């Protein structure tokens, strides 16, 4: 009743093209994600003027990127210090989650320290 297909299909499967698609391991993906969170934290840290903490974050980013130092944030957002500390606390929390999932002790310790520092600074009363 039906005539069999005699020509080769024009459609291909993903498995056939597998050699052309670059793949990253889970570790590489987590490294990229962690470096991104730390870079965002570095930008806020630099805006707060916390040079020593920024240098520690920059060292971790360079380690994750294979020695390539990050570009330091030079612009100012104009946000008040309390909201910057809140933002930095959230970014450090994200970095801590990724660092824990990839078992990166150094980055996890750094992120936890930054969370503590920003939580303490956020709890301080603001000058009126």
């Amino acid at each position: 009743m039906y005539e069999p297909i005699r020509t080769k299909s024009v459609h291909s499967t993903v498995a056939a093209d597998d050699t052309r698609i670059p793949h990253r391991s889970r570790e590489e993906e987590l490294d990229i994600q962690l470096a991104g969170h730390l870079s965002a934290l570095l930008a806020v840290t630099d805006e707060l003027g916390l040079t020593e903490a920024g240098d520690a974050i920059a060292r971790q980013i360079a380690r994750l990127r294979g020695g390539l130092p990050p570009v330091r944030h030079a612009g100012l957002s104009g946000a008040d210090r309390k909201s910057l500390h809140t933002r930095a606390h959230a970014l450090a929390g994200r970095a801590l989650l990724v660092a824990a999932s990839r078992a990166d002790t150094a980055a996890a310790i750094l992120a936890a320290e930054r969370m503590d520092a920003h939580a303490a600074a956020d709890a301080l009363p603001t000058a009126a």
Side-chain angles (χ1 to χ4, degrees):
M1 185 160 193
Y2 293 104
E3 185 175 340
I5 299 172
R6 295 185 183 157
T7 60
K8 193 169 184 161
S9 175
V10 295
H11 303 288
S12 63
T13 63
V14 173
D17 296 336
D18 204 23
T19 57
R20 297 185 317 190
I21 301 172
H23 293 282
R24 291 189 206 114
S25 68
R26 181 176 186 275
E27 277 293 313
E28 291 170 325
E29 289 292 338
L30 288 174
D31 283 348
I32 292 167
Q33 189 176 19
L34 180 56
H37 289 312
L38 288 175
S39 295
L41 178 60
L42 178 61
V44 177
T45 303
D46 282 348
E47 186 168 355
L48 283 166
L50 305 172
T51 307
E52 188 176 317
D55 292 342
I57 296 167
R59 283 191 297 275
Q60 288 298 318
I61 296 169
R63 180 182 59 85
L64 291 166
R65 291 182 176 168
L68 184 65
V71 176
R72 300 298 289 258
H73 186 267
L76 300 176
S77 67
D80 62 300
R81 291 186 69 78
K82 187 168 180 68
S83 66
L84 288 173
H85 282 295
T86 303
R87 186 180 318 152
H89 184 269
L91 290 166
R94 290 183 190 121
L96 177 60
L97 287 174
V98 177
S101 71
R102 70 177 295 277
D104 188 336
T105 307
I109 290 170
L110 174 69
E113 288 172 350
R114 297 314 315 147
M115 282 184 73
D116 289 344
H118 292 296
D122 198 20
L124 293 174
T126 57

